[in-house]
Amino acid sequence: MITRFAPSPTGPLHLGHAYSAILAHDMARVAGGQFLLRIDDLDQSRARPEWEDLIYEDLRWLGLTWDGPVRRQSEHFDEYRDTIEDLAAHGAVYPCRCTRAEIANAASAPQEGVPEFGPDGRIYPGTCRGRAYADRLPTDALRYELSKTTDGPLPAFTETGPAHAGEHDVTADHLLTRVGDPILARPNMAASYHLAVIVDDANTFVTHVIRGEDLFEATFLQRFLQWELSLSAPIYHHHRLIRDETGKRLAKRDDARAIRTYRAEGATPQDIRAMVGL
Ligand code: GLU
């Protein structure tokens, strides 16, 4: 078993991160497997070295140990670009110049039962579909044209988390209505989150992805991209989210529940485990 914890260094780790990291760590240790640490610093405009240092400090304080070198996404941009080239060779990648406002304007009026947003943001209305990959400009984003490859059998994934345990088929209908043509890269970002995580997980041989419930929907898209690239599929385990007393999920800016705040107040790692119900 190879698990991983993959925080973005854009703020302090909070109780939700601690829960995720401890689960992934303990599952690997119980199974005699490996626990990897990855720094998801894809968005270089938001990543800060001081947040990265705090991640190491907080995890060590929690008593977690990781195996092998830490993988930082910013050191693998070439791999992501090569992967996008592979996808482009399938003839389904197109350049997109739409701004967020243009996408919102072009999206059809909301219909009952049809979501406006999916795990890749607002469901793209397809404005730039039909532009050729060869005509891409440095200022364009790149998107994957889902409808080009949704003939025939699609893959499935295994979920072991409490809310959705079982096998989940990735269907054309699901992708087209609930995700929309996903972004693969942006002018200022070598790869999108979805593209980068599947490359990272595959290249580090992750067997079990343990992460929050909020990413369950994204798994359909990520599994689809893995399948398009013939990458092996990990087993997924989406865990419950840690919420504040009003039921809101914790956010990076919620410093009151930051691990460093609890540390400064004299809490112990055992206290943190108890707070998240472990
Ligand atoms: N870096 C992602 C996050 O902080 C997690 C990556 C993943 O599990 O897909 O939400």
Side-chain angles (χ1 to χ4, degrees):
M1 178 184 273
I2 303 182
T3 68
R4 47 78 163 174
F5 176 56
S8 296
T10 55
L13 298 186
H14 55 57
L15 283 182
H17 295 106
Y19 181 56
S20 212
I22 295 170
L23 272 188
H25 172 269
D26 290 3
M27 277 189 189
R29 293 289 171 249
V30 165
Q34 291 181 52
F35 171 66
L36 310 181
L37 176 60
R38 189 172 83 213
I39 299 294
D40 279 5
D41 59 351
L42 202 56
D43 184 351
Q44 287 284 290
S45 69
R46 292 172 62 225
R48 297 276 176 280
E50 54 274 28
W51 295 129
E52 186 175 328
D53 289 343
L54 186 61
I55 290 170
Y56 303 132
E57 226 179 86
D58 283 343
L59 294 179
R60 283 198 193 100
W61 177 81
L62 281 168
L64 307 187
T65 52
W66 50 91
D67 299 297
V70 172
R71 178 178 170 107
R72 302 167 78 234
Q73 288 185 322
S74 55
E75 289 163 6
H76 298 274
F77 288 167
D78 287 350
E79 283 167 39
Y80 307 141
R81 287 195 192 100
D82 289 349
T83 306
I84 294 171
E85 287 293 325
D86 286 351
L87 283 173
H90 301 191
V93 178
Y94 64 90
C96 174
R97 63 167 88 89
C98 297
T99 63
R100 265 176 229 275
E102 284 165 348
I103 294 172
N105 285 337
S108 52
Q111 283 170 274
E112 212 177 324
V114 181
E116 277 181 83
F117 292 89
D120 199 47
R122 189 181 284 276
I123 294 170
Y124 184 60
T127 319
C128 286
R129 239 178 248 150
R131 285 184 61 202
Y133 182 64
D135 297 337
R136 66 194 182 282
L137 302 170
T139 48
D140 286 328
L142 297 173
R143 285 188 189 268
Y144 191 87
E145 188 164 353
L146 289 171
S147 59
K148 285 238 166 119
T149 43
T150 45
D151 286 345
L154 285 175
F157 63 91
T158 305
E159 166 69 30
T160 61
H164 307 277
E167 284 288 306
H168 295 274
D169 288 330
V170 178
T171 65
D173 185 52
H174 189 111
L175 293 172
L176 292 171
T177 59
R178 292 167 69 175
V179 181
D181 289 353
I183 293 264
L184 300 175
R186 293 182 190 278
N188 57 352
M189 243 202 264
S192 67
Y193 153 70
H194 302 290
L195 192 277
V197 290
I198 60 159
V199 172
D200 295 332
D201 287 336
N203 288 358
T204 52
F205 309 102
V206 168
T207 61
H208 292 70
V209 170
I210 293 147
R211 61 186 182 187
E213 232 330 275
D214 53 327
L215 289 169
F216 176 72
E217 259 310 304
T219 310
F220 291 82
L221 171 60
Q222 293 174 13
R223 180 68 196 104
F224 171 77
L225 292 172
Q226 280 162 357
W227 175 79
E228 276 295 303
L229 287 159
S230 306
L231 301 177
S232 62
I235 290 171
Y236 288 88
H237 182 101
H238 292 89
H239 58 72
R240 68 186 161 81
L241 300 178
I242 304 296
R243 299 179 184 276
D244 65 15
E245 47 300 317
T246 69
K248 224 166 59 318
R249 58 180 277 233
L250 304 182
K252 286 252 161 87
R253 55 195 173 277
D254 189 356
D255 214 34
R257 289 164 188 85
I259 305 306
R260 65 163 176 195
T261 309
Y262 289 112
R263 275 168 47 193
E265 289 168 0
T268 66
Q270 273 320 109
D271 295 334
I272 303 289
R273 283 181 179 254
M275 280 180 226
V276 297
L278 287 169

